[in-house]
Amino acid sequence: MGVNLPPTLRRLLGIPVARVGLALMALVLATALLGPWLVGRDAWDLAGPPLLWPGQDGRFPLGTDSLGRDLAAGLAGGAAVSLAIGIVSALIAALLGTLIGAVGGYYGGAVEHLFGRVTDLFQTVPPFILAVVTVAALPPSLTSVVVAIGAVSWPATARLVRTRFLVLRESEFVLAGRMIGMGDIRLITTQILPSVLPPIIVLTPLTVGTAIQTEAALGFLGLSPPDLLTWGKMIGEGREQLLDAWYICGLPGLAIMTTVLAFNLLGESLNRLMAAGAREGR
Amino acid sequence: MTGAAAIALTRQGLYRLGYNLLTRILPIVAGVACFNLLIMHVMTGDAADVLAGNAGGATAQELARLRHEFGLDQPFAQRFLGYLWAVLHGDLGLSQTQGVPVAGLILARLPTTFLLMGVSLTFSLLLGVGLGVLGARHPGGWTDGLVSGLILTLYAMPSFWFGLMAIVLFSVKLGWLPSGGLDSLEQVPEGWAWAADRLKHLLLPGLTLANFHIAVYARLTRGILLDIEREDFVRTLRAKGASAGRILLFHMLPNAALPILTMVGLQMAALFGGSVVVESVFGLPGLGRLILDALLSRDMTLLTGILLVSSVMVTVINLLLDLLFFLIDPRVRSGAGMSPDRLGQEGE
């Protein structure tokens, strides 16, 4: 798969699913970047009367929560937080997974056995419970949440990378590289990694989607960073008013769903693009 | 199969289970134990601090005595071996806030969590396989499109949110189902009425926990069915004039059972984690609620104990699934994979 963007983007736009995904992604990005400015109100401000339903008051198009905070401001502010946590922790997971998978797969033998066991361990421990325990043990902060989610999200990438490395390390171009005296690190990074990169790129949007959901569930249980208003936290706090004002929980949930769907569709379309590329190449 | 052969097979299967228990549970226990000690180590303040804090402060001497009592002043390796030894004897330590053995607290909550997981797994498999079959009937048709859309939606939907919205719709607006708890508050009926009442309480939580997994099994089943359809044995059956329903039910789905059950094992960790959130939504007295309580009181012995027990449970369930494969599927017994010609033989 070529990395030069314009042709890739053009081919991506040829897939209907990708068009929906990119449109949703644009919506989420616009909300994160322009939303706070458009709403023009701080998410924490007790700005109006409490428990206004969406559409009830023109000044608060999406209503207010039990403290009179503007839900539109909360949703817009939450978008940036969700995206940041999701993307950064997925990148950590991709890096960690690539490193563990590459080293295990390249060296094989005892190293591969050990790293494989560690990966197995992380796939056996319920990831969400592990994330909860990690966040609880670390001081409450944005970094703790990102680290916890990153630490539970890498095994899928590690497995993928390891399998590819196990195959590629026996291939002719790697043997040739070894013959002319390339070192291990050079072989791994300049020879094998480039051909493993496309599947990693396909997997990463899906990891972002899962990470955003994990963050939302942590927030729902009250484990969000204390100084940030996240979508999960909004749902957790809105639970108290579920019977009278379900929209307080309903709207952030729709936001989470839209964002996760955008990333999943992107991953799915990249996957199709790669499959189509493989067919053409054959 | 004769009786003697069945007994021999069962004995063989049990040996296999015993061997796997030793070789697969031990590393898991050691790994999680290591992680647990590490977590306790990096944590701001240890068990002695928490106890002292609960007691309203303590002198430096008192703290040192407590640390010595808990063995916190020993070197890491010694503490690790001590913890491992205790864990292998079923001792997970005392709860920092309640002062009772953690193992007992956890065991008391496991049945509820298992019940929820069981109900949820049943929903996931029934609805997931059903949707997968529907999607595979006319690939690319409108039913397939609908199924694909539903799968994408279920993948993206936060389960706890689905649970809350289901409470609003089915409990509050329609009044059909209870919104939480395990039993009705009024006098508990007995026998079948009790079971029906229990099931009614588990319907929404089960479905909430299932929604992600429905998507997983639907996608998997659809893929497998589309693959199997190209096999020779299916073509032969069609040529012989077997009905589509008969081919699906007696020939294609049995062949899909092994990968689907393998997926059940792979999803077990996610199912366990999901139940934490779902129990909190519906106020079910299971492991998830115990985790919430432990979080509020920052009871790390309890939290790490739960992490260990849930990991061991995931492994045990996987080993039982492995035993099941071994007993029901001759291909696993002979160590052979799922080669097409073998699939063909079984189809006849």
Side-chain angles (χ1 to χ4, degrees):
Chain A
M1 189 170 76
V3 189
N4 43 343
L5 209 68
T8 309
L9 198 63
R10 206 180 315 129
R11 283 203 298 165
L12 203 57
L13 285 171
I15 306 172
V17 175
R19 286 201 290 269
V20 180
L22 288 175
L24 288 179
M25 189 69 77
L27 178 73
V28 174
L29 280 178
T31 310
L33 295 174
L34 304 176
W37 173 74
L38 272 177
V39 178
R41 206 178 271 130
D42 193 84
W44 296 95
D45 271 355
L46 312 182
L51 299 180
L52 278 179
W53 278 73
Q56 196 181 346
D57 185 333
R59 290 183 303 141
F60 302 97
L62 296 182
T64 58
D65 69 3
S66 60
L67 299 173
R69 296 182 296 195
D70 189 352
L71 280 180
L75 286 176
V81 181
S82 259
L83 285 179
I85 294 181
I87 292 173
V88 174
S89 51
L91 286 180
I92 293 180
L95 278 176
L96 210 60
T98 306
L99 190 72
I100 292 174
V103 171
Y106 180 81
Y107 288 105
V111 179
E112 197 239 314
H113 189 71
L114 177 71
F115 280 36
R117 275 295 162 94
V118 173
T119 314
D120 279 349
L121 179 69
F122 271 83
Q123 290 195 316
T124 307
V125 178
F128 187 67
I129 300 181
L130 184 60
V132 166
V133 174
T134 313
V135 174
L138 298 173
S141 72
L142 183 62
T143 322
S144 304
V145 173
V146 170
V147 166
I149 299 176
V152 301
S153 311
W154 59 267
T157 313
R159 275 186 177 265
L160 177 90
V161 173
R162 190 189 59 157
T163 320
R164 301 272 168 150
F165 263 75
L166 277 175
V167 175
L168 287 174
R169 75 190 181 116
E170 309 288 353
S171 63
E172 279 176 9
F173 70 92
V174 175
L175 289 179
R178 200 170 283 143
M179 293 286 264
I180 60 169
M182 283 188 175
D184 286 345
I185 294 178
R186 199 161 152 222
L187 270 175
I188 291 177
T189 51
T190 66
Q191 301 304 309
I192 308 182
L193 204 54
S195 44
V196 185
L197 221 46
I200 302 178
I201 293 174
V202 169
L203 188 60
T204 302
L206 302 177
T207 316
V208 177
T210 318
I212 290 175
Q213 278 191 328
T214 309
E215 186 274 322
L218 287 173
F220 174 68
L221 296 184
L223 289 170
S224 273
D227 47 346
L228 291 172
L229 196 58
T230 66
W231 289 336
K233 192 193 268 180
M234 286 170 80
I235 299 180
E237 288 176 356
R239 249 182 106 173
E240 309 287 321
Q241 289 82 39
L242 187 64
L243 302 190
D244 319 309
W246 59 266
Y247 64 90
I248 300 177
C249 291
L251 294 174
L254 287 178
I256 297 169
M257 229 166 103
T258 312
T259 313
V260 176
L261 193 60
F263 280 101
N264 285 356
L265 287 176
L266 188 69
E268 174 86 26
S269 353
L270 286 176
N271 193 16
R272 285 192 198 176
L273 201 62
M274 203 172 70
R279 269 201 303 277
E280 277 164 28
R282 207 174 285 156
Chain B
M1 196 190 297
T2 64
I7 290 170
L9 184 62
T10 311
R11 184 178 296 151
Q12 225 179 327
L14 287 179
Y15 280 142
R16 183 185 168 96
L17 184 70
Y19 174 77
N20 282 341
L21 274 175
L22 280 180
T23 53
R24 282 176 52 189
I25 291 214
L26 267 181
I28 296 290
V29 171
V32 179
C34 194
F35 175 83
N36 282 353
L37 279 185
L38 214 63
I39 277 285
M40 303 275 220
H41 192 71
V42 298
M43 238 191 90
T44 41
D46 55 24
D49 285 323
V50 174
L51 267 191
N54 288 346
T59 61
Q61 273 172 328
E62 188 74 0
L63 267 180
R65 192 187 60 75
L66 276 173
R67 289 225 164 82
H68 184 71
E69 206 168 278
F70 283 119
L72 293 172
D73 52 353
Q74 293 166 357
F76 190 83
Q78 196 179 339
R79 278 172 63 196
F80 175 68
L81 288 179
Y83 183 62
L84 202 59
W85 188 246
V87 165
L88 290 176
H89 286 80
D91 175 14
L92 296 173
L94 294 180
S95 156
Q96 286 165 3
T97 47
Q98 305 181 45
V100 290
V102 164
L105 285 174
I106 297 174
L107 280 184
R109 303 296 188 102
L110 270 183
T112 305
T113 298
F114 277 147
L115 194 61
L116 172 62
M117 285 168 68
V119 170
S120 174
L121 189 62
T122 313
F123 279 142
S124 317
L125 285 174
L126 286 179
L127 296 173
V129 171
L131 278 175
V133 168
L134 204 63
R137 285 229 65 153
H138 304 287
W142 66 270
T143 41
D144 190 24
L146 216 60
V147 168
S148 299
L150 190 59
I151 290 175
L152 280 168
T153 314
L154 289 175
Y155 265 126
M157 188 147 51
S159 67
F160 60 92
W161 181 77
F162 174 87
L164 291 173
M165 295 299 114
I167 289 177
V168 170
L169 182 62
F170 293 107
S171 308
V172 181
K173 304 276 182 210
L174 297 172
W176 288 352
L177 291 166
S179 66
L182 208 50
D183 295 296
S184 294
L185 288 177
E186 54 268 23
Q187 74 176 79
V188 184
E190 284 182 5
W192 286 111
W194 173 83
D197 183 65
R198 204 22 100 82
L199 193 64
K200 225 171 143 185
H201 279 83
L202 283 169
L203 211 58
L204 281 187
L207 203 59
T208 302
L209 181 54
N211 66 31
F212 172 81
H213 299 271
I214 293 173
V216 170
Y217 298 119
R219 174 174 279 188
L220 181 72
T221 307
R222 180 182 174 279
I224 300 171
L225 289 182
L226 289 181
D227 276 349
I228 297 182
E229 213 161 36
R230 293 193 206 105
E231 300 282 353
D232 288 340
F233 80 89
V234 175
R235 210 177 308 155
T236 312
L237 283 164
R238 286 227 178 87
K240 277 169 61 181
S243 72
R246 194 187 153 79
I247 297 178
L248 178 75
L249 217 57
F250 295 106
H251 300 280
M252 287 169 75
L253 282 182
N255 272 302
L258 190 61
I260 290 175
L261 284 178
T262 308
M263 184 57 100
V264 170
L266 287 175
Q267 291 297 325
M268 211 32 84
L271 201 61
F272 235 113
S275 71
V276 173
V277 190
V278 173
E279 282 171 20
S280 133
V281 171
F282 290 94
L284 299 176
L287 263 194
R289 281 293 297 276
L290 195 63
I291 289 184
L292 277 195
D293 297 343
L295 272 180
L296 288 177
S297 55
R298 291 183 69 76
D299 190 336
M300 287 313 282
T301 332
L302 187 49
L303 274 181
T304 48
I306 293 172
L307 191 67
L308 190 83
V309 172
S310 53
S311 311
V312 170
M313 287 303 154
V314 170
T315 319
V316 170
I317 295 170
N318 269 295
L319 292 183
L320 290 177
L321 279 173
D322 179 84
L323 181 67
L324 187 68
F325 294 160
F326 182 80
L327 292 179
I328 65 172
D329 196 324
R331 287 169 303 189
V332 176
R333 269 206 301 278
S334 63
M338 287 243 292
S339 62
D341 50 314
R342 279 177 180 278
L343 284 176
Q345 280 166 14
E346 193 155 293
E348 272 308 309

